[in-house]
Amino acid sequence: MTASTTTETVQTIIAELKDKQGALLPILHGIQNALGYIPPDSVPAIAQGLNLSRAEVHGVISFYHYFRDTPAGKHTVHLCRAESCQSMGSNALEAHVKTKLGIDYHETTADGQFSLEPVYCLGNCACSPAMQIGEEIYGRVSADSFDDIMNDLGADA
Amino acid sequence: MSTTIYISGDSTAISIGANRTAAAVVKEAAQRGIAVNLVRNGSRGLFWLEPLVEVVVNNDRVAYGAVNHSDVAGLFDADFINGGHHSLALGAVEEIPYFKKQQRLTFARVGITDPISLDDYLAHDGYRGLKNALASSQADIVKQVTDSGLRGRGGAAFPTGIKWNTVLNTPSEQKYIICNADEGDSGTFSDRMIMEGDPFVLIEGMTIAGLAVGANQGFIYLRVEYPHAHKALNAAIAKAYEASYLGDNIQGSGKKFDLEVRLGAGAYVCGEETSLMESLEGKRGLVRFKPPLPAISGLFGQPTVVNNVISLASVPVILDKGGDYYRDFGMGRSRGTLPLQLAGNLKHTGLVEIAFGMTLRELLYDFGCGSATGRPIKAVQVGGPLGAFVPESQFDTPLDYEAFAANWTVLGHGGVVAFDDTMNMAEMARYAMEFCAIESCGKCTPCRIGSTRGIEVMDDIINNVDREKNVVLLRSLCDTLLNGSLCALGGMTPYPVLSALNHFPEDFGLDAV
Ligand SMILES: Cc1cc2nc3c(=O)[nH]c(=O)nc-3n(C[C@H](O)[C@H](O)[C@H](O)COP(=O)(O)O)c2cc1C
Ligand code: SF4
Ligand code: FES
C-alpha cells in the first residue's frame, strides 16, 4: 500500500466513525483491521478528527495489548499462556513454537511470515492448549499439529 | 425431502475440526445424492464429543460423536441419515447423563436452535419474557428480577435487582445498559458459548433491562478475542431490528432501545466495570474511584447498568416464568442456576448449568470424570486467574457463593480449571504475579510495582535464594496488595498466590505443614 492510499484509508475511517460516541476505539480497530497496524503517522489525523491531543491518542494505543504500531507478519500467532492451557502443557508448546519460528513474543520472523503474540485465554479452555491465527481458533494444539498448521499456512504464502 | 443435520458452529467445536466435519458431510451427501439441510447450532457443551453430529430422524435427534472428517464416509455407509447404527452413535443427547443431570434455564436453547434464526428463537419460547415486560410497570420488572434472587455472574455476585433499582430511581434523560462481554477470566467460556449459540437471549435480556430502568441505549463490550461471537451478535442484532425487537418502537409499544457491539482490545482490566466504561468512552482503561457508583454516574456520567452476559441472559427466563420459578433453584443466598465451565486437565470438559449446591467433587468426578491425563487432580482453580487454588481437602465444598467465601475461595464466573499432580504450584503463584504485572492498569502502586516485585520474590523462592526470608516478604507483599489496591486485579492476586503457598508449601521448597 502506498503512503497516499494509507493516508486516504485512515482519513476515510476517521470520517466514517468520528461521530460515534466514544469513537476512538472503533477508529483504532478500523485502522488496524485495514492496515494490520496503526501507523504512528496516523496519530495526528486521529487526534485532529476527535479533537484530542496526540499524547492522548498515543496513550490509548499503547495501553491496549491488541493495538500495535508496527506492521505484523502475514500471520499472527496468538498463543494462549493462561492457566487452563498451562494445565494441558502449553509451556512445552510455547517452547516448541518459539524454537520452530525462531522468535520470541512480540517479534516477527525475518521472512515476514509470522508474528508471535501471547494471549491470556481465548475462551477455548475446554480444548486446551489453544491458539488463534487471524479468526481461526485451534484447540488441543500439540507440537506436531502446530507444525502441520504452520506448513499449511506457509504453503499458501 | 431433505434431512436436517446439526453440526456445531461454536468456536471451540470448530477449533477441533467441526468445519472440516461439516464440509465432509456436505460433500459426501452431494456425492450420494442425499439432500441435507445443514444447521450450524451452538454447542451442547459436551466437548469431548465434539465435533458432534445430530441427525433428525422422525422428528427426533440422533447424535454421533466425536465425528472426525475422516469418519463421515463411514457414517453414511452405516445409514446414519436414518439413525443407523455406528460405533460413534450416542442416541439422544438429552439422555447422556452429563446433559440429563443439568438444569438448563439460561442455556435452554443453546445447541438446540439455529443461533441466528429469529423464527427458531420464537418457536423455542423466545421473547416471551419481553412480552411480559412490555405488559408490566418498570417497578414490576425490577421486582421480578429482585425476587428471583439473581446475583451478578461476572464475579462479584451483587444482586442484580438492587442494581437495577438504583438506576431506575436515579432520574436522568439518558441512561445506559452495558453488557460486560469481556470474559477475560481464564477457564471461562460460558459468555462466549451463549453469545455464539443463542445471541437473541442476550439481546432480549438487555432490552428488558432497558425497559426496566428507562435506558434506551445499550452497548455490548465484547472482547476482541471472540470474532465468532461478534459475527453472531451482529447478525442477530440486525434481525432484531428488522423485526422491531430493537429500535424506535419495540413491538409497537412506542418504547425505544438501540443496541451496539463495541470491541475491547486485549486488556484484562477492561472487564472491571469502571475501566470498561473508560474504554467505551475512548480512553485508556484506568479504573475509576468508587463512589460514584456506575448506577448513579456511569458511562458518560449517566446512570448505567453494567451486567455480565450470563446475568442479562438469565433475565428472559425470569420474566417468562417468574422470579419465584428461578429462585426455587439453588441453596442459601445463591439462587437459580450457575453455568459452570469445566476446563483444563479434565476428561469431560464442557458446560454444566446446574442449580447451586452441588459439591465441587461431584462436579469434577461425576461430570468431569477426573483428569484427562489419568493422574490425580492436585488442585483446581475456580473463578478465573484471581481465584484461589482449591486443594483436594476442600473438594466437598458446595458450589455456593458463601460456602466458597468461607474457605477464602471464590466462585466468580464459574470457571473450573483442573491441574494434575505434575503441576508445580510455586510456578503457578509466580504466573499469578506475572499476570498482575502484565495487566495492571497502573493506577495504584501496590499493584503496579508490587506485582513486578512479586515476580522477583517468587524467582528467588523458586531458586532457593534466601527462601525463608523471601516467603516472609511474599506474605507482606500480598498483605499490601490485599489492602492497598483500588480494584480486584491487585486486590485478589494474593488469592492464587497465598492459596498455592498455604496448601502446597512443599512446591515452594518449604516443609509441609
Ligand atoms: C480485574 C477485573 C476484571 C473483571 N472482568 C470481568 C469480565 O470479564 N466480565 C464480567 O462480567 N465482569 C468482570 N469483572 C466484574 C465487573 O467489574 C462487574 O462486577 C460486573 O461486570 C458486574 O456485572 P454482574 O453484576 O452482572 O456480575 C471484573 C472485575 C475486575 C476487578
Ligand atoms: S489494583 Fe491494579 S488494576 Fe486495579 S486499579 Fe489498582 S493498578 Fe489498576
Ligand atoms: S486458558 Fe487458554 S484458552 Fe482459556
Side-chain angles (χ1 to χ4, degrees), chain A residues 78-147:
Chain A
H78 291 272
L79 193 64
C80 181
R81 287 194 67 209
E83 290 88 344
S84 172
C85 289
Q86 289 183 44
S87 80
M88 291 302 282
S90 67
N91 287 344
L93 178 66
E94 173 181 271
H96 173 82
V97 167
K98 288 181 179 177
T99 313
K100 174 85 183 174
L101 296 177
I103 51 174
D104 205 334
Y105 286 126
H106 314 299
E107 293 179 355
T108 300
T109 54
D111 64 1
Q113 280 295 303
F114 296 104
S115 297
L116 181 62
E117 294 292 334
V119 67
Y120 299 90
C121 193
L122 293 163
N124 210 54
C125 338
C127 294
S128 290
M131 69 174 179
Q132 185 172 19
I133 302 175
E135 298 204 340
E136 285 299 318
I137 295 173
Y138 301 86
R140 297 186 194 138
V141 183
S142 64
D144 284 347
S145 72
F146 178 80
D147 291 354

Side-chain angles (χ1 to χ4, degrees), chain B residues 247-331:
Chain B
D248 288 337
N249 185 8
I250 293 168
Q251 297 302 296
S253 66
K255 302 266 171 51
K256 171 179 153 146
F257 191 69
D258 285 316
L259 183 55
E260 189 184 329
V261 182
R262 289 289 179 93
L263 289 180
Y268 176 74
V269 73
C270 287
E272 193 282 333
E273 58 188 9
T274 63
S275 164
L276 186 159
M277 292 187 294
E278 290 287 299
S279 182
L280 267 180
E281 291 180 7
K283 303 176 193 153
R284 294 188 294 154
L286 297 185
V287 173
R288 294 180 187 169
F289 290 101
K290 283 193 257 187
L293 290 175
I296 289 166
S297 174
L299 186 65
F300 301 109
Q302 304 302 323
T304 303
V305 167
V306 185
N307 272 134
N308 171 255
V309 174
I310 300 296
S311 313
L312 289 162
S314 299
V315 166
V317 68
I318 291 168
L319 265 288
D320 176 17
K321 302 202 169 157
D324 297 353
Y325 172 82
Y326 191 81
R327 191 187 53 210
D328 283 346
F329 295 86
M331 72 173 273

Side-chain angles (χ1 to χ4, degrees), chain B residues 4-9 39-45 50 52 54 56 59 61 93-94 99 104-117 120-121 123-125 193 196-198:
Chain B
T4 299
I5 297 181
Y6 293 88
I7 299 177
S8 177
V39 179
R40 301 305 298 270
N41 54 341
S43 173
R44 299 276 202 155
E50 293 284 3
L52 184 79
E54 287 180 272
V56 179
N59 292 323
R61 283 160 79 146
V93 171
E94 281 75 10
F99 194 91
R104 292 211 167 180
L105 306 185
T106 307
F107 274 72
R109 270 172 302 266
V110 175
I112 294 175
T113 52
D114 176 348
I116 52 172
S117 160
D120 242 15
Y121 186 66
H124 288 83
D125 298 344
M193 278 186 69
E196 292 180 355
D198 193 17

Side-chain angles (χ1 to χ4, degrees), chain A residues 20 29 64 83 124 126 135, chain B residues 12 186 231 260 264 266 283 349:
Chain A
K20 274 183 180 288
H29 273 296
Y64 294 95
E83 290 88 344
N124 210 54
E135 298 204 340
Chain B
T12 294
S186 48
K231 282 197 196 113
E260 189 184 329
K283 303 176 193 153
T349 56

Side-chain angles (χ1 to χ4, degrees), chain B residues 137-160:
Chain B
S137 70
Q138 291 181 299
D140 278 342
I141 305 174
V142 173
K143 185 171 183 305
Q144 290 295 329
V145 174
T146 306
D147 287 350
S148 75
L150 177 67
R151 291 163 72 182
R153 303 292 190 238
F158 187 82
T160 304

